[in-house]
Amino acid sequence: MQASEVGIYWEENAAAWIELSRAGYDTYRDAVNTPAFLALLPDISGQRGLDIGCGEGTNTRQVARLGAQMTGVDIAPSFVEAAQAVEDDDPTGTVFQLGDGTALPFPDESFDFATAFMSLMDMPDQARALKDAYRVLKPAGFLQFSILHPCFVPPKHKTIRREDGEAIGTLVADYFRRTDGEVETWTFSAAPKELRAKHPPFQVPRFHRTLSDWVAMITRAGFTLEALQEPMADEATAKAVPIVADTRITPIFLHFRLRKPG
């Protein structure tokens, strides 16, 4: 599958994604994944940053509020338009534009750092995306990105629960089966049934790679590994937002911070 084909899927997902996520139903993102990601960031005040695969811009703008001058790029026009519309109403100094994460529309050494919130895993050529991120970073710049945890969210996985719904384990299979565009259909389970019924489910092409694949791609791109994180809901969050309590059993997300040599 080519990047242009992936872009078509995400453009078709955009309307539902924007409405449901902005209504607060991207629960894992808001309660666990993004807070942990932002806490892992080093000081970025006064730096120029790039958010690769910015979607509707919520995370990009949160990074900007930490003091960075941000640019967000996404392959789906509707995401870029929605992100820019919010930015126009409530400016953070962020610029949003159309762009392919595997062929970034910027000169070499343009940015002090780059982020990618749950986007690199959805690109068909992840090695190329990592190399292009490396290219646009200044010497000593960093890339921080999040993905589904390849060990615990492979092509086949299922949370094991007691009769009362409490998560007690995770069943995983097909870890070594690398996928190249197999389409998964799902939606935000936290959204009310009547709101989910307004939109077709998301159709997301899947490009699963093993953990060793990711490490190999990272090193071949030229990066050094600086930090690794597997976010977990704390007890208070799991009690307040029970849907994310399964992250206390096995991790769903994996965060990397990589450094370009200075």
Side-chain angles (χ1 to χ4, degrees):
M1 185 177 288
Q2 301 299 311
S4 58
E5 297 173 84
V6 174
I8 292 170
Y9 277 99
W10 281 105
E11 178 63 19
E12 291 175 349
N13 291 332
W17 194 284
I18 292 164
E19 180 174 357
L20 296 177
S21 67
R22 289 183 174 177
Y25 297 118
D26 193 350
T27 311
Y28 284 92
R29 179 193 72 175
D30 296 339
V32 178
N33 203 15
T34 295
F37 189 102
L38 296 177
L40 185 64
L41 284 171
D43 182 15
I44 54 172
S45 56
Q47 297 187 23
R48 187 179 182 205
L50 172 67
D51 190 23
I52 303 168
C54 63
E56 45 78 44
T58 294
N59 286 329
T60 321
R61 286 163 47 80
Q62 290 197 60
V63 177
R65 291 190 182 98
L66 297 177
Q69 180 186 350
M70 294 300 296
T71 298
V73 295
D74 200 274
I75 201 168
S78 291
F79 277 142
V80 175
E81 292 169 9
Q84 191 62 55
V86 172
E87 176 65 22
D88 291 342
D89 289 339
D90 180 22
T92 63
T94 303
V95 175
F96 294 98
Q97 67 181 78
L98 201 62
D100 177 357
T102 63
L104 294 167
F106 306 105
D108 296 356
E109 302 183 3
S110 295
F111 299 95
D112 298 299
F113 72 95
T115 55
F117 292 82
M118 303 296 286
S119 60
L120 294 185
M121 64 188 189
D122 292 331
M123 298 181 190
D125 192 342
Q126 295 144 343
R128 182 177 175 185
L130 287 164
K131 289 178 181 178
D132 216 40
Y134 184 97
R135 178 185 65 79
V136 301
L137 287 173
K138 296 177 182 178
F142 73 88
L143 166 66
Q144 185 169 305
F145 71 94
S146 56
I147 56 173
L148 287 173
H149 201 304
C151 301
F152 299 102
V153 195
K156 290 184 180 179
H157 61 278
K158 181 180 180 180
T159 301
I160 303 170
R161 300 181 183 275
R162 293 194 179 107
E163 290 184 1
D164 64 2
E166 182 183 356
I168 58 173
T170 303
L171 175 68
V172 298
D174 282 0
Y175 171 71
F176 290 105
R177 182 166 68 84
R178 297 161 179 84
T179 59
D180 289 293
E182 292 182 12
V183 177
E184 291 187 350
T185 302
W186 56 279
T187 189
F188 295 133
S189 58
K193 184 177 180 180
E194 61 273 16
L195 189 54
R196 296 199 306 265
K198 289 179 57 180
H199 302 283
F202 307 131
Q203 290 193 302
V204 179
R206 187 84 190 271
F207 302 92
H208 170 69
R209 300 293 180 265
T210 67
L211 181 58
S212 56
D213 289 334
W214 279 103
V215 172
M217 290 187 291
I218 287 166
T219 56
R220 289 169 186 163
F223 287 109
T224 58
L225 177 62
E226 185 168 273
L228 189 68
Q229 175 174 263
E230 298 164 300
M232 174 187 73
D234 58 30
E235 289 186 12
T237 300
K239 185 175 181 180
V241 190
I243 196 172
V244 304
D246 56 351
T247 65
R248 295 180 58 79
I249 306 300
T250 53
I252 295 176
F253 309 109
L254 183 60
H255 297 176
F256 291 89
R257 188 169 75 237
L258 315 177
R259 186 71 62 173
K260 181 175 181 176

